[in-house]
Amino acid sequence: MMKSGPAEGGQLTQDDPRDHKANWGISISDLVMRAFAALGTLTSTVVMGTTDQTLQIVSQFFLFRRARYNDLPTFTFFLTTNAIVCGYLTLSLGLSISQVIRSTVKITRIILVILDTVMLALLMAGASAATAIVYLAHKGNAKANWLPICQQYNSFCERISGSLVGSYFATIALVILITLSTIAISRC
Amino acid sequence: MMKSGPAEGGQLTQDDPRDHKANWGISISDLVMRAFAALGTLTSTVVMGTTDQTLQIVSQFFLFRRARYNDLPTFTFFLTTNAIVCGYLTLSLGLSISQVIRSTVKITRIILVILDTVMLALLMAGASAATAIVYLAHKGNAKANWLPICQQYNSFCERISGSLVGSYFATIALVILITLSTIAISRC
């Protein structure tokens, strides 16, 4: 935003109290949303990691009695990405708090936008890959002769489907965080 | 960046020629990278859309002789997301050109960062979901009794695997575009 006004003592007065207040509001929103996003990825990680179902009846089509997340590499990838993003979001709370204290400092916002973008890509990769496999587990694919396994492993499928929610919530939160930070940088 | 200097006629001189030049350089990089990213998604869309293999030999395990992208819903999703992002990147070249002409205008950069972020999430969703299915087609999953189909559909699998490259290239390009735009906004 272009700022104009009288200069005082040869030094430019860049500070506009309205922008200060708006950026402080953005910093608070950033902190709250980041904490919720961290909670979302934590929930996803825990739910996926603790999903475990042992079948009572085993048909000829299924070679495993017990279903866990690591039976499918995509779910291991999902768990890993969620754990990494959860760790990052938790650590980044420190930078977010520093923004609340000093809401006009640009450099922390720039660093957060770049890291948030990378984490958004990573989290979306994990969530989307897991969704593709969850979809296949529910629906199967007749053309490729991949049978749906959710008819057997219903509790397993319910939990892994549920674990995606926290991850997608965090994805949306990251998009909003990047948007807010960008607006805040333009005002600094 | 804080700028200081003598005020002229009560109006602040915000323009620093070095920042101008740097932002002009970023605008040029944005334009070139955006064009390459559009080309990447276009290639992915075309390769996925035209993949078609008809088997000479059909075993008892496979119910389809002909393999096309729309046999698997995930590949249709991949194609759709790539087509949308390709369309967006092509249209956004207009805004990118306007940035080259007027490299100090913030609002177009802010709009591009927000839209680029949404498109990055969308593109990554498509690419990652398709990768999960391509991986399954190559390796199969013994635990879920999903057999690898690439042993039969080798040419189909090669092409769909190849089609992912353009999409991932565009994903990396979008992360760089967001980074560059954020730096440019902080300098405006």
Side-chain angles (χ1 to χ4, degrees), chain A:
Chain A
M1 200 183 290
M2 284 293 289
K3 295 178 192 74
S4 61
E8 287 168 9
Q11 185 74 23
L12 297 191
T13 51
Q14 281 234 334
D15 300 343
D16 182 334
R18 282 170 305 177
D19 280 356
H20 257 219
K21 204 171 174 181
N23 271 8
W24 189 80
I26 285 177
S27 300
I28 291 285
S29 309
D30 185 290
L31 184 63
V32 174
M33 201 164 287
R34 205 169 281 278
F36 274 110
L39 209 65
T41 49
L42 181 68
T43 311
S44 285
T45 309
V46 172
V47 173
M48 181 60 87
T50 57
T51 298
D52 195 340
Q53 184 185 7
T54 307
L55 274 195
Q56 301 298 314
I57 306 153
V58 182
S59 80
Q60 58 175 325
F61 294 112
F62 298 101
L63 305 176
F64 65 126
R65 285 167 174 271
R66 193 177 172 189
R68 291 200 67 215
Y69 77 90
N70 54 8
D71 288 324
L72 290 145
T74 311
F75 294 151
T76 308
F77 177 61
F78 173 82
L79 191 130
T80 311
T81 54
N82 270 275
I84 291 170
V85 176
C86 182
Y88 159 74
L89 285 170
T90 310
L91 289 174
S92 70
L93 285 173
L95 278 179
S96 191
I97 291 167
S98 82
Q99 277 180 5
V100 175
I101 301 164
R102 297 181 66 195
S103 60
T104 54
V105 176
K106 261 184 197 176
I107 190 71
T108 52
R109 289 193 199 275
I110 295 170
I111 292 168
L112 281 177
V113 166
I114 296 167
L115 293 177
D116 283 355
T117 306
V118 174
M119 290 296 149
L120 168 68
L122 188 67
L123 189 63
M124 192 46 124
S128 183
T131 307
I133 300 299
V134 167
Y135 181 83
L136 196 64
H138 277 283
K139 303 269 181 185
N141 189 286
K143 295 280 184 75
N145 207 26
W146 291 333
L147 295 175
I149 57 167
C150 286
Q151 289 166 2
Q152 304 279 328
Y153 295 94
N154 44 4
S155 144
F156 174 74
C157 279
E158 267 173 36
R159 276 182 69 98
I160 55 170
S161 306
S163 78
L164 300 175
V165 178
S167 202
Y168 279 111
F169 170 78
T171 306
I172 295 166
L174 279 169
V175 171
I176 298 170
L177 283 171
I178 294 166
T179 304
L180 289 178
S181 293
T182 307
I183 293 168
I185 291 167
S186 75
R187 278 177 177 155
C188 279

